[in-house]
Coordinates of all heavy atoms in Angstrom, one line a residue:
L1 N -3.0 -10.2 0.1 CA -2.3 -11.5 0.3 C -1.6 -11.9 -1.0 O -0.5 -12.5 -1.0 CB -3.3 -12.6 0.7 CG -3.8 -12.5 2.2 CD1 -5.0 -13.4 2.4 CD2 -2.7 -12.9 3.1
M2 N -2.2 -11.6 -2.1 CA -1.6 -11.9 -3.4 C -0.3 -11.1 -3.6 O 0.7 -11.7 -4.1 CB -2.6 -11.6 -4.6 CG -2.1 -12.1 -5.9 SD -1.8 -13.9 -6.1 CE -3.5 -14.5 -6.0
I3 N -0.4 -9.9 -3.3 CA 0.8 -9.0 -3.4 C 1.9 -9.6 -2.5 O 3.1 -9.6 -2.9 CB 0.5 -7.6 -3.0 CG1 -0.4 -6.9 -4.0 CG2 1.8 -6.7 -2.8 CD1 -1.0 -5.6 -3.6
L4 N 1.6 -10.1 -1.3 CA 2.5 -10.6 -0.4 C 3.0 -12.1 -0.7 O 3.7 -12.7 0.1 CB 2.0 -10.5 1.0 CG 1.8 -9.1 1.6 CD1 1.0 -9.1 2.9 CD2 3.2 -8.5 1.8
G5 N 2.4 -12.6 -1.8 CA 2.9 -13.9 -2.3 C 2.2 -15.1 -1.6 O 2.7 -16.2 -1.6
Q6 N 1.0 -14.8 -1.0 CA 0.3 -15.9 -0.3 C -0.9 -16.3 -1.1 O -2.1 -16.0 -0.8 CB -0.1 -15.4 1.1 CG 1.1 -15.0 2.0 CD 0.7 -14.5 3.4 OE1 -0.1 -15.1 4.1 NE2 1.3 -13.4 3.8
G7 N -0.7 -16.9 -2.2 CA -1.7 -17.2 -3.2 C -2.9 -18.0 -2.7 O -4.0 -17.7 -3.0
E8 N -2.6 -19.1 -2.0 CA -3.6 -20.0 -1.5 C -4.6 -19.2 -0.6 O -5.8 -19.3 -0.7 CB -3.0 -21.2 -0.8 CG -4.1 -22.2 -0.4 CD -3.4 -23.5 0.1 OE1 -2.2 -23.7 -0.2 OE2 -4.1 -24.3 0.8
E9 N -4.0 -18.4 0.4 CA -4.9 -17.7 1.3 C -5.6 -16.6 0.5 O -6.8 -16.2 0.9 CB -4.1 -17.1 2.4 CG -3.5 -18.1 3.4 CD -2.8 -17.4 4.5 OE1 -3.4 -16.5 5.2 OE2 -1.6 -17.7 4.7
A10 N -5.0 -16.0 -0.5 CA -5.6 -15.0 -1.3 C -6.8 -15.5 -2.0 O -7.9 -14.9 -2.0 CB -4.6 -14.4 -2.3
F11 N -6.7 -16.7 -2.6 CA -7.8 -17.3 -3.3 C -9.0 -17.6 -2.3 O -10.2 -17.4 -2.6 CB -7.4 -18.6 -3.9 CG -8.5 -19.4 -4.6 CD1 -9.0 -18.9 -5.8 CD2 -9.1 -20.5 -4.0 CE1 -10.1 -19.5 -6.5 CE2 -10.2 -21.1 -4.7 CZ -10.7 -20.7 -5.9
A12 N -8.7 -18.1 -1.1 CA -9.7 -18.3 -0.1 C -10.5 -17.1 0.3 O -11.7 -17.0 0.4 CB -9.1 -19.0 1.1
A13 N -9.7 -16.0 0.4 CA -10.3 -14.7 0.8 C -11.2 -14.2 -0.4 O -12.3 -13.6 -0.2 CB -9.2 -13.6 1.1
Y14 N -10.7 -14.3 -1.6 CA -11.5 -13.9 -2.8 C -12.8 -14.7 -2.9 O -13.9 -14.2 -3.2 CB -10.7 -14.1 -4.1 CG -11.4 -13.7 -5.3 CD1 -11.6 -12.4 -5.7 CD2 -12.0 -14.7 -6.1 CE1 -12.3 -12.1 -6.8 CE2 -12.7 -14.4 -7.3 CZ -12.8 -13.1 -7.6 OH -13.6 -12.7 -8.7
K15 N -12.7 -16.0 -2.6 CA -13.9 -16.9 -2.6 C -14.9 -16.4 -1.6 O -16.1 -16.4 -1.9 CB -13.5 -18.3 -2.4 CG -14.6 -19.3 -2.5 CD -14.1 -20.8 -2.3 CE -15.3 -21.8 -2.3 NZ -14.8 -23.1 -2.1
R16 N -14.4 -16.1 -0.4 CA -15.3 -15.6 0.6 C -16.0 -14.3 0.2 O -17.2 -14.1 0.5 CB -14.5 -15.4 1.9 CG -15.3 -14.9 3.1 CD -16.4 -15.9 3.5 NE -17.2 -15.5 4.6 CZ -18.4 -15.8 4.9 NH1 -19.1 -16.6 4.0 NH2 -19.1 -15.4 5.9
A17 N -15.2 -13.4 -0.4 CA -15.8 -12.1 -0.8 C -16.9 -12.4 -1.8 O -17.9 -11.7 -1.8 CB -14.7 -11.2 -1.4
T18 N -16.6 -13.3 -2.8 CA -17.6 -13.6 -3.8 C -18.9 -14.2 -3.2 O -20.0 -13.8 -3.6 CB -17.0 -14.6 -4.8 OG1 -15.9 -14.0 -5.4 CG2 -18.0 -14.9 -5.9
E19 N -18.7 -15.1 -2.2 CA -19.9 -15.7 -1.5 C -20.7 -14.6 -0.8 O -21.9 -14.6 -0.9 CB -19.4 -16.7 -0.5 CG -18.8 -18.0 -1.1 CD -18.1 -18.9 -0.1 OE1 -18.0 -18.4 1.0 OE2 -17.8 -20.0 -0.5
L20 N -20.0 -13.7 -0.1 CA -20.8 -12.6 0.6 C -21.5 -11.7 -0.4 O -22.6 -11.3 -0.1 CB -19.8 -11.8 1.4 CG -19.2 -12.6 2.7 CD1 -18.1 -11.8 3.3 CD2 -20.3 -12.8 3.7
R21 N -20.8 -11.4 -1.5 CA -21.4 -10.5 -2.5 C -22.7 -11.1 -3.1 O -23.7 -10.5 -3.2 CB -20.4 -10.2 -3.6 CG -20.9 -9.0 -4.5 CD -19.8 -8.7 -5.5 NE -18.5 -8.3 -4.8 CZ -17.4 -9.0 -4.9 NH1 -17.3 -10.0 -5.6 NH2 -16.3 -8.5 -4.2
Q22 N -22.6 -12.4 -3.4 CA -23.8 -13.1 -4.0 C -24.9 -13.2 -3.0 O -26.1 -13.1 -3.3 CB -23.3 -14.5 -4.5 CG -22.4 -14.5 -5.7 CD -23.1 -13.9 -6.9 OE1 -24.3 -14.0 -7.1 NE2 -22.3 -13.2 -7.6
S23 N -24.5 -13.5 -1.7 CA -25.5 -13.6 -0.6 C -26.3 -12.2 -0.5 O -27.5 -12.2 -0.3 CB -24.8 -13.9 0.7 OG -25.8 -13.9 1.7
L24 N -25.5 -11.1 -0.6 CA -26.1 -9.8 -0.5 C -27.1 -9.6 -1.6 O -28.2 -9.1 -1.4 CB -25.1 -8.7 -0.4 CG -25.6 -7.3 -0.4 CD1 -26.5 -7.0 0.8 CD2 -24.4 -6.3 -0.5
K25 N -26.7 -10.0 -2.8 CA -27.5 -9.8 -4.0 C -28.8 -10.6 -3.9 O -29.9 -10.1 -4.3 CB -26.7 -10.1 -5.3 CG -25.7 -9.1 -5.6 CD -25.0 -9.5 -6.9 CE -24.0 -8.5 -7.4 NZ -23.3 -8.8 -8.6
R26 N -28.7 -11.8 -3.4 CA -29.9 -12.6 -3.2 C -30.8 -12.0 -2.2 O -32.1 -12.0 -2.4 CB -29.5 -14.0 -2.8 CG -28.9 -14.9 -3.9 CD -29.0 -16.4 -3.6 NE -28.2 -16.8 -2.4 CZ -26.9 -17.1 -2.4 NH1 -26.2 -17.0 -3.6 NH2 -26.3 -17.5 -1.4
K27 N -30.3 -11.4 -1.2 CA -31.2 -10.7 -0.2 C -31.9 -9.5 -0.8 O -33.1 -9.3 -0.5 CB -30.3 -10.2 1.0 CG -29.9 -11.4 1.9 CD -29.0 -10.9 3.1 CE -28.5 -12.0 3.9 NZ -27.6 -11.5 5.0
I28 N -31.2 -8.8 -1.7 CA -31.8 -7.7 -2.4 C -32.9 -8.2 -3.4 O -34.0 -7.6 -3.5 CB -30.8 -6.9 -3.2 CG1 -29.8 -6.3 -2.2 CG2 -31.5 -5.8 -4.1 CD1 -28.6 -5.5 -2.9
V29 N -32.7 -9.4 -4.0 CA -33.7 -10.0 -4.9 C -34.9 -10.3 -4.0 O -36.1 -10.1 -4.4 CB -33.2 -11.2 -5.6 CG1 -34.3 -12.0 -6.3 CG2 -32.1 -10.9 -6.6

């Protein structure tokens, strides 16, 4: 999305990826 110039949607997708990654790490903890 960032490459395609859709910055706002790109940020939302990145935020979602970060949330999922942190959630997975907490489950491993």
Side-chain angles (χ1 to χ4, degrees):
L1 286 168
M2 185 62 71
I3 291 171
L4 291 169
Q6 301 177 47
E8 189 172 338
E9 290 185 55
F11 177 75
Y14 178 79
K15 184 178 179 181
R16 180 61 177 152
T18 302
E19 290 170 350
L20 288 169
R21 193 176 301 116
Q22 291 300 324
S23 176
L24 175 61
K25 287 183 177 181
R26 286 200 295 273
K27 288 178 181 178
I28 296 175
V29 172

